[in-house]
Amino acid sequence: MLPETICAARSPFWMPPNASLHGVALDQLMRWNIIAVCVCFLAAHVWLIAAIFRRRHAPRSASSVLRWTLLTALCCMYIWMAVTAQHLWARSRYAGPSPEAMQVEVVGEQFQWYFRYPGADAAFGPTRPELANAAEGNPLGLNPQDTRSRDDIVSSVLVLPAGREVDLRLRSLDVIHGLFIPGMRLKENAVPGLVLHVHFTPTTPGTYPILCSQVCGLGHARMQAVLSVVSPAEFDAWLASHAGTRSEPQSQ
Ligand SMILES: [Cu+2]
């Protein structure tokens, strides 16, 4: 509880409160990293100051044992942190989501995020770049003649139900963008020509800022969106209100 209290007290200098399932373990690892770095920093300075004042020909047998003990402990701790970090990274990217996970496509374009839901057929329809026209409400180039594309829902707000896993598939239409949701402890790049997946489970209803973590052009700073985590019933109502509309890029 003490680290949580310290984090809350220093909220302007710390990350926003975690609202995702995997974020608990990630925050714990982050705290261990910071503690380890602080201890190493202090120990190094104590050792430096002690070395300055130590007599040149003082006996070294005791300090040698202490030095090797500390070095071994440090190596073990960093191996443990590296393995834990690798495990956390792989679990949200390589392990794959559960079959019940909701599918949402995230598309980055200078300087806007678009979020596409597959609609009633649970399949993302094909897109055609020549049909893309944001001013006419079709920023991703959905083909209205294609039955798979027709029911897809495009929104500028990412709306998700609390407590359900979501599998994001990230694409970019121009340059490399970085989807960053600090409140969800989530960061993944959107790379032109690639479809990258990352999955997570939001746990706490609320609104969370979505940022771009890659410097993607002059408008990079204003490439922001909002994640709205709502109850399952509210999410169903939101989805139903958007069903049948080809795309609503400016509405929630
Ligand atoms: Cu960007």
Side-chain angles (χ1 to χ4, degrees):
M1 286 303 292
L2 185 59
E4 297 288 351
T5 311
I6 293 170
C7 295
R10 297 179 179 177
S11 57
F13 309 104
W14 193 254
M15 294 180 289
N18 167 56
S20 67
L21 201 60
H22 71 280
V24 178
L26 207 143
D27 279 4
Q28 198 173 20
L29 183 65
M30 179 69 84
R31 277 192 288 271
W32 273 110
N33 269 280
I34 291 172
I35 289 168
V37 168
C38 288
V39 168
C40 289
F41 177 81
L42 289 173
H45 281 76
V46 168
W47 182 79
L48 276 172
I49 293 167
I52 291 171
F53 291 103
R54 192 174 56 196
R55 285 188 299 156
R56 178 169 290 184
H57 301 294
R60 297 186 173 212
S61 57
S63 64
S64 176
V65 172
L66 183 64
R67 193 185 309 147
W68 282 107
T69 307
L70 284 175
L71 199 61
T72 306
L74 201 65
C75 288
C76 290
M77 187 184 63
Y78 268 99
I79 289 170
W80 171 75
M81 287 198 294
V83 170
T84 307
Q86 166 67 19
H87 180 68
L88 283 173
W89 176 268
R91 200 162 58 185
S92 62
R93 287 166 176 80
Y94 306 137
S98 70
E100 295 81 28
M102 198 175 71
Q103 302 289 317
V104 179
E105 183 181 71
V106 180
V107 181
E109 182 183 27
Q110 290 174 320
F111 299 95
Q112 172 82 40
W113 291 109
Y114 296 108
F115 307 99
R116 179 160 67 130
Y117 299 78
D121 62 358
F124 292 108
T127 56
R128 289 168 52 185
E130 68 271 21
L131 295 177
N133 190 327
E136 292 183 1
N138 189 12
L140 303 184
L142 298 179
N143 183 0
Q145 310 302 326
D146 191 303
T147 53
R148 290 168 299 170
S149 299
R150 201 182 302 157
D151 68 343
D152 288 2
I153 297 166
V154 180
S155 172
S156 60
V157 177
L158 177 58
V159 182
L160 297 175
R164 182 175 174 187
E165 189 178 24
V166 57
D167 178 30
L168 300 180
R169 43 177 268 169
L170 287 98
R171 294 197 298 125
S172 171
L173 300 184
D174 38 42
V175 300
I176 296 176
H177 300 281
L179 181 80
F180 182 28
I181 315 177
M184 296 292 139
R185 306 294 189 262
L186 193 79
K187 187 187 273 188
E188 184 57 276
N189 284 346
V191 183
L194 293 180
V195 178
L196 300 177
H197 284 257
V198 63
H199 56 94
F200 71 105
T201 304
T203 55
T204 312
T207 54
Y208 305 90
I210 298 176
L211 312 170
C212 181
S213 61
Q214 298 283 357
V215 181
C216 55
L218 289 175
H220 160 70
R222 60 181 163 84
M223 188 167 170
Q224 301 175 11
V226 169
L227 161 63
S228 177
V229 179
V230 297
S231 68
E234 287 174 313
F235 177 74
D236 290 343
W238 179 85
L239 213 54
S241 71
H242 287 70
T245 58
R246 183 163 56 87
S247 66
E248 295 289 342
Q250 296 304 319
S251 66
Q252 180 175 348

